[in-house]
Amino acid sequence: MPKGSDLLVAALENEGVERVFGVPGEENLDVVESLRNSSIELILTRHEQGAAFMAATYGRLTGKPGVCMTTLGPGALNLTTGAAYALLGAMPMVMITGQKGIMKSRQAGFQIVDVVGCFKPLTKMSRQIVSCATIPTLVRDAFRIAAEERPGPVLLELPEDIAGEETEPVATVPQHPIEIPVAHRASLDRAAEMILAAKRPLIMLGAAASRPRSTAGIGGFVRRTKIPFFTTQMGKGTVPGGSNLYMGTAALSERDYVHEAVDRADLIIAIGHDTIEKPPFIMGPKGPQVIHVSYTPATVEQVYFPQCEVVGDVGPSLELLADRVEGRLHHAGALLGLREGILSRITDRNKEDRWPVTPQRIVHDVRQVIPEDGIIALDNGMYKIWFARNYRTYVANTVLLDNALATMGAGLPSAMMASILYPERRVMAVCGDGGFMMNSQEMETAVRLKLNLVILILEDSAYGMIRWKQAVDNFPDFGLTFGNPDFVKYAESYGAKGSRVTKSGELIPTLEAAFKGGGVHLVVVPIDYSENKRVLVDELRAKVRPLQEPAE
Ligand SMILES: Cc1ncc(C[n+]2csc(CCOP(=O)(O)OP(=O)(O)O)c2C)c(N)n1
Ligand SMILES: [Mg+2]
């Protein structure tokens, strides 16, 4: 007779799950045994956070929920940051946590916290499984809820006595395809009218434009309308940045060079914008009109209140919108004249030999060694702004960054997931010396899995982004510096390779050799963060004047 855990694992197989990431506890041992007898691989990580970041990234890259598993109490609580990462980032993920038996209580309150309650505000659904008979339906529902728009995490708690209970066989619930409705004709007509009336239109690609199902239809819309576009940090790559309509990426909310175009636009077609991102521009009373095109309605915020919404399956809806305006747009390229100026000022000083290396040069050099389909996964730190702003992308989801929860510690695990999914592509994690150390133990997982992965560490011996903000706000320099391990020896102690860059001209050859050598290779390079103030504060303040007063 099957056990509850067999039903759970059969239901996961029914969902096409290939891997479960996690750190099991004794309450998960029946599930571990059922996994041993299944087609699903159990990937152990060295912290539950790593498992959650990997599962969430699987969801982000495939559109199908990634799965992670932990024990009760302490293990489950270590999933909270990963749950929030998936919730804010709209990444489908299923978390399975253990629990003490619910029919008898032989250990009183030992290790018991209300995990289901804890995860209610961090998930789309958080449920305890209370009987074997409901396992197939609950699992089907969990996967469906996690994957449907807006995607996100769900949690199923499986108590150990239900997991170990022998039961009659219960059939799995078959999957069926879900079609998303296309936007209503009236909203398409209204949007078309606004686009036809615009004198200086601009397209913005946001986070939901990067969903695997989004990308084809959006490229078509940009090509057919010939309206120039910019992206948010999480919208990079959906339409090639090499396109002659690319105006830049809004890494700051205002007063960057790209805002010279944004501030002059009279209409912004915001495709897939999700207000969990740090605002790419700030709507004010006198600002441009905004059309919100996405799978779900806009969230109205002080800084984002679109006047028109086109809600539905993004690709097909945009096709219908393009049908209405194609060939009738006389001002499509009105803002294109600003393009050269914006892009050339961004690449300023990106070949300088200065030591330590400037952020601009690091972005430039990384681009040289990453082919168009190669993937960089960023942790969170000051360099994220430089990469978002300066790194040109050609393929969707080739810059994995988190401008939603913006947590430190996800860079390495998300790169590991990309490397597992795309073993033939170059994958690099880009981390600060602070963020890397938050999940550096996953180096062991990466070595054990024999991944090919380069980890680039930008060393300033500080929580640089906060130190920068401290300086910008005129606080004294205090409390934000630290020491580092010898990163080369640290990598070697894991059985990985390690290299230190000692002059700026060495960065490209060191990275190139690291990729060619294969395996896990950590490269550490000192970074000169004086550029943060020189460019992102002084230069922009002097050169970019907003056309309108920003909203309060
Ligand atoms: C888990 C977490 N803790 C704290 C922060 C706040 N924070 C944002 S960036 C940053 C500093 C990052 O330092 P590092 O990784 O060394 O990158 P750097 O800015 O120095 O390049 C901190 C502390 C955060 N985003 N996430
Ligand atoms: Mg740092």
Side-chain angles (χ1 to χ4, degrees), residues 21-195:
F21 301 92
V23 181
E26 58 184 293
E27 290 70 23
N28 307 111
L29 286 174
D30 282 299
V31 178
V32 170
E33 174 59 12
S34 301
L35 284 171
R36 189 175 70 84
N37 295 313
S38 77
S39 60
I40 300 173
E41 187 185 357
L42 172 63
I43 296 187
L44 285 192
T45 56
R46 303 307 301 270
H47 190 289
E48 291 83 354
Q49 209 177 77
F53 288 145
M54 291 178 81
T57 303
Y58 176 90
R60 176 182 193 172
L61 289 172
T62 64
K64 296 186 292 184
V67 183
C68 55
M69 177 178 75
T70 73
T71 187
L72 76 175
L77 292 174
N78 274 350
L79 289 179
T80 49
T81 304
Y85 174 76
L87 184 71
L88 270 67
M91 307 176 198
M93 171 165 79
V94 172
M95 298 174 282
I96 295 163
T97 55
Q99 188 51 281
K100 300 280 182 212
I102 46 174
M103 290 180 284
K104 286 194 191 127
S105 174
R106 290 178 155 277
Q107 293 195 15
F110 179 61
Q111 286 196 306
I112 295 184
V113 289
D114 178 1
V115 171
V116 171
C118 242
F119 278 82
K120 284 245 152 82
L122 297 174
T123 53
K124 295 176 77 181
M125 169 178 117
S126 180
R127 294 269 302 263
Q128 184 182 59
I129 298 174
V130 292
S131 88
C132 288
T134 58
I135 289 176
T137 37
L138 265 179
V139 171
R140 181 76 275 272
D141 209 30
F143 275 76
R144 187 182 157 119
I145 289 172
E148 75 189 6
E149 285 291 337
R150 177 181 184 272
V154 304
L155 180 134
L156 290 179
E157 180 183 73
L158 182 62
E160 65 175 329
D161 50 3
I162 307 292
E165 188 183 32
E166 293 198 336
T167 169
E168 294 300 318
V170 189
T172 53
V173 183
Q175 291 186 56
H176 58 85
I178 305 269
E179 282 80 26
I180 305 179
V182 177
H184 193 281
R185 197 186 307 134
S187 74
L188 290 164
D189 289 344
R190 227 156 67 74
E193 219 171 278
M194 286 170 72
I195 296 171

